[in-house]
Amino acid sequence: MVAQLAQKFGIAVFGITSVFVSTAVITGSYISKAQAANVNLVKNGSFTVDSLLNPNDPTRNNPFITDWKNSESDEEFYTTYLDNYTVDDAENNSLSVRFGASDGFTRISQILDTKKNKEYQLTYYLANVDEDNNNIFRTYVDGQLIDEKINLPFQGFTEYTYNFVATSKHTKLKFASQQGSAWYNLDNVSVFRVHDEDRQRIALASVEPVPEPPITGGIAVLGLMAIWLKKKRLAISVKPSR
């Protein structure tokens, strides 16, 4: 409407509408072709494959986690098992892994298919119900400790992300926990390849954006029109009669 009025009254308006359309496209959700084709290398990362209860003893939670090695799965007394406290409130049969109180570290691990010298991004969600500050949670990639959380406070599910470069075609992902009297919950574990296109997009996003044209530009145009109309009416009203 502004553009039509401007054209009618002979006032030039340069790209107000087109700039806002372009901005909307740029700031919208962007999914690269690389991301769209990307596959989570972690199998059963949302822990949806298995039942909550132990198939050998339905009175207890299940320590047998498909595609993961549980250091306690063969023990009669275990504190690491599937739990129905999850990021997504147990929708679509999603579960989490509870790491309970133990004398030493308990662990789950999985071997990932990777490519040597390629970069990957690990993401997971971790909750902690310990209020006594007596807990340790460690994250290992291919035997290397990449993160250690000591005495986390009480927290709901919190997202953590790390990047790493694979050193071989097989990479071992491992989580280790030690809790004095409470427990952790681990959920939604993923590892995705970081592609050059994604790095470039992140780099571009980190550059300070050019300020968007303010909406006051359109208001200014309308103001100019109002002044022009006022002057025109004034000129007509004072026009001498013949």
Side-chain angles (χ1 to χ4, degrees):
M1 179 178 178
V2 171
Q4 292 174 345
L5 289 172
Q7 184 178 8
K8 179 177 180 180
F9 294 117
I11 299 174
V13 180
F14 297 100
I16 292 176
T17 304
S18 62
V19 169
F20 281 112
V21 171
S22 300
T23 302
V25 172
I26 292 171
T27 58
S29 298
Y30 173 79
I31 300 177
S32 68
K33 292 181 180 179
Q35 284 180 305
N38 227 351
V39 176
N40 184 5
L41 300 185
V42 178
K43 298 177 181 178
N44 191 25
S46 296
F47 309 107
T48 59
V49 175
D50 305 290
S51 63
L52 174 64
L53 299 179
N54 188 332
N56 302 322
D57 183 355
T59 64
R60 306 173 69 189
N61 283 50
N62 190 0
F64 306 109
I65 309 169
T66 298
D67 296 311
W68 293 87
K69 181 179 179 180
N70 181 356
S71 62
E72 293 189 318
S73 60
D74 295 329
E75 298 181 13
E76 182 177 356
F77 177 77
Y78 54 83
T79 61
T80 301
Y81 48 80
L82 292 171
D83 192 9
N84 59 1
Y85 172 47
T86 72
V87 172
D88 49 11
D89 298 325
E91 292 180 2
N92 301 319
N93 299 318
S94 174
L95 300 173
S96 69
V97 174
R98 175 190 284 202
F99 295 86
S102 60
D103 294 332
F105 281 93
T106 62
R107 298 165 294 278
I108 65 169
S109 61
Q110 182 176 144
I111 305 297
L112 310 178
D113 293 328
T114 54
K115 292 185 178 181
K116 186 177 180 179
N117 298 326
K118 298 300 181 181
E119 185 178 358
Y120 295 86
Q121 185 171 90
L122 162 66
T123 301
Y124 62 81
Y125 289 78
L126 186 68
N128 179 42
V129 301
D130 180 22
E131 296 180 331
D132 299 327
N133 291 328
N134 185 16
N135 61 84
I136 303 174
F137 191 85
R138 294 175 176 171
T139 304
Y140 295 86
V141 172
D142 215 17
Q144 300 296 315
L145 178 65
I146 65 170
D147 183 71
E148 182 178 54
K149 298 174 175 61
I150 300 177
N151 293 334
L152 274 180
F154 179 92
Q155 67 176 38
F157 277 107
T158 302
E159 182 182 25
Y160 296 95
T161 300
Y162 313 88
N163 282 33
F164 66 91
V165 176
T167 58
S168 68
K169 64 179 181 179
H170 298 300
T171 300
K172 185 176 183 179
L173 173 63
K174 181 174 69 176
F175 299 102
S177 163
Q178 184 174 14
Q179 282 271 3
S181 58
W183 63 88
Y184 292 110
N185 282 85
L186 176 71
D187 200 7
N188 288 9
V189 183
S190 66
V191 171
F192 286 98
R193 168 85 177 276
V194 177
H195 294 269
D196 293 338
E197 184 178 347
D198 298 323
R199 276 194 293 269
Q200 183 180 17
R201 177 174 56 83
I202 293 171
L204 289 173
S206 65
V207 176
E208 185 175 352
V210 177
E212 296 181 8
I215 193 171
T216 52
I219 297 174
V221 171
L222 292 175
L224 289 173
M225 292 178 187
I227 294 172
W228 184 87
L229 287 171
K230 184 176 181 180
K231 288 183 177 179
K232 184 176 180 181
R233 286 195 297 268
L234 182 59
I236 293 173
S237 63
V238 299
K239 185 177 180 180
S241 58
R242 295 182 181 180

